[in-house]
Amino acid sequence: MHTVITKDPAEAASFIKRGGSVVFPTETVYGIGACAEDHSACQALYQIKGRPQDNPLIIHLAESSAIFEHAYVPKKYEDFIQHFSPGAITYILKKKNQQLFSTGLPSIGLRVPTANFTRNFLHAAALPVAAPSANLSGKPSITKSYYAKLEFSGRVDCILTGPDAEIGLESTIIDLTCEPAVILRPGGIALTDIQKFIPGASLLATPVGTTPKSPGLKYKHYAPHCKVSLVAELPEAKDKKIGRIGFHFTGSSSIDRKLQSNIQYMKELYSFFLDCDSLGIEEAFCEMPIRDKWFDSLMNRLRKAASLD
Ligand code: TXA
Ligand code: MG
């Protein structure tokens, strides 16, 4: 497949309007989008990613007001949604617009990205855009245009290149169809900030052996090819080619990603993993994040990458 690479949001949007697939940047991670009302265009995204068919897609909208057009919003959550949108948060709500692709579910995940660049693209498309994260299924998500081009040239109709993802981890997903509301995936909005509005909201704990509430939770995620180890202290390179990301370093290794904060950890983690694979690293060591409000989101991705969950 020939892939058009462009910096022009309107050119990329024209592919969405014609039923095509477009890799595009957001402030969380890159997505691969298609018109959410065109079910065959949405189906094609599953082939491109190698994504399991039962895992629904997040639908991206240009304006917060559109959330209320496409889904039923319980009155008590109206202020909450107005406060956090646009933002790195996806709301699971009861579907109102029956045209939207939702793998047969009565609910839908809706998100309004913050990045102006992304919103220009969504405005130009003038359609709801269904988009999973831009990664081959199970692999780390993409946060930089370099990797978007490397992984998706020849696989999609168009790649919109733009700024690096400002946040670097996927959106927080909150299910507002159940009582109390539950966080299905911690991400770019911290749980403690959500609890200021919804005190009863908590992180979903999926006991071993039960069916996950969010289909995506049961699949392996975010891992590079090499072994990933989550450690209290970063080791020094001995006889292996290793990569390290964290706060405290002694000696040097093939990739050393030195961090000052968890915010920076979120922004760097996926590109660190992709760099490890590009350089043929055998083991990637990740230092435990700092215990601040971003701890849960980082630990969720790190534990999955290290196959601890
Ligand atoms: O930041 C993000 O959320 C990125 C960017 C591109 O917006 N997107 C993203 O999409 O991470 P994806 O497909 O990698 O993750 C979407 C998750 C999956 O775990 C899926 O199961 C869940 O959202 N999801 C979508 N619709 C759902 C629904 N109706 N009910 C429960 N979970 C849903
Ligand atoms: Mg994903």
Side-chain angles (χ1 to χ4, degrees):
M1 177 189 279
H2 173 68
T3 301
V4 171
I5 297 180
T6 181
K7 290 190 168 72
D8 177 7
E11 186 182 10
S14 72
F15 286 92
I16 298 285
K17 290 182 178 167
R18 283 180 271 149
S21 52
V22 177
V23 168
F24 64 98
T26 84
E27 75 280 14
T28 56
V29 298
Y30 272 68
I32 324 176
C35 170
E37 294 178 347
D38 180 337
H39 291 208
S40 62
C42 291
Q43 282 296 348
L45 300 177
Y46 287 78
Q47 267 77 61
I48 295 167
K49 273 192 70 137
R51 182 180 178 96
Q53 289 289 336
D54 64 349
N55 195 0
L57 308 176
I58 292 174
I59 295 177
H60 297 70
L61 306 168
E63 289 296 331
S64 308
S65 56
I67 294 174
F68 297 81
E69 286 164 35
H70 292 294
Y72 296 101
V73 175
K75 192 140 194 62
K76 64 177 174 179
Y77 293 132
E78 284 178 5
D79 289 348
F80 169 72
I81 288 178
Q82 293 290 3
H83 180 81
F84 284 102
S85 302
I89 185 163
T90 298
Y91 310 102
I92 307 296
L93 291 161
K94 189 165 173 242
K95 175 161 87 163
K96 188 196 273 183
N97 172 359
Q98 294 304 322
Q99 300 302 108
L100 295 176
F101 179 84
S102 67
T103 59
L105 292 171
S107 63
I108 200 84
L110 298 178
R111 173 162 115 78
V112 182
T114 322
N116 280 335
F117 192 78
T118 314
R119 293 178 77 196
N120 291 344
F121 162 68
L122 293 171
H123 271 297
L127 289 164
V129 173
S133 51
N135 54 312
L136 301 177
S137 209
K139 295 288 137 208
S141 299
I142 288 172
T143 52
K144 294 181 196 284
S145 62
Y146 169 79
Y147 279 113
K149 287 185 276 192
L150 194 70
E151 299 263 10
F152 285 98
S153 292
R155 294 183 194 262
V156 292
D157 294 302
C158 178
I159 299 174
L160 175 62
T161 58
D164 290 351
E166 193 53 44
I167 294 176
L169 287 195
E170 296 85 350
S171 61
T172 295
I173 303 180
I174 183 163
D175 188 346
L176 299 175
T177 66
C178 55
E179 195 54 52
V182 67
I183 311 281
L184 302 181
R185 177 179 75 183
I189 298 286
L191 174 64
T192 46
D193 290 332
I194 290 175
Q195 285 171 334
K196 287 176 195 153
F197 279 77
I198 310 179
S202 61
L203 278 180
L204 176 75
T206 307
V208 178
T210 61
T211 309
K213 264 188 85 100
S214 188
L217 299 176
K218 67 175 181 260
Y219 299 110
K220 185 172 158 61
H221 268 104
Y222 319 117
H225 289 292
C226 66
K227 181 170 187 231
V228 176
S229 296
L230 180 58
V231 293
E233 268 175 49
L234 294 172
E236 284 191 52
K238 294 236 165 65
D239 42 5
K240 273 208 271 196
K241 204 170 171 193
I242 66 166
R244 302 182 298 177
I245 186 166
F247 305 94
H248 306 94
F249 286 78
T250 49
S252 65
S253 72
S254 303
I255 304 180
D256 281 339
R257 210 60 77 83
K258 199 161 182 359
L259 308 168
Q260 307 295 335
S261 66
N262 275 355
I263 300 252
Q264 205 186 350
Y265 208 155
M266 290 160 71
K267 196 166 171 171
E268 296 288 331
L269 182 64
Y270 291 144
S271 66
F272 167 72
F273 283 158
L274 291 168
D275 289 350
C276 284
D277 280 348
S278 298
L279 285 181
I281 293 294
E282 288 168 68
E283 189 163 358
F285 289 93
C286 305
E287 188 176 340
M288 288 286 283
I290 297 164
R291 287 202 172 264
D292 68 6
K293 71 177 185 176
W294 300 112
F295 182 80
D296 291 330
S297 303
L298 274 163
M299 283 299 280
N300 174 278
R301 305 308 190 274
L302 288 166
R303 287 184 61 85
K304 283 183 202 275
S307 299
L308 299 173
D309 280 339

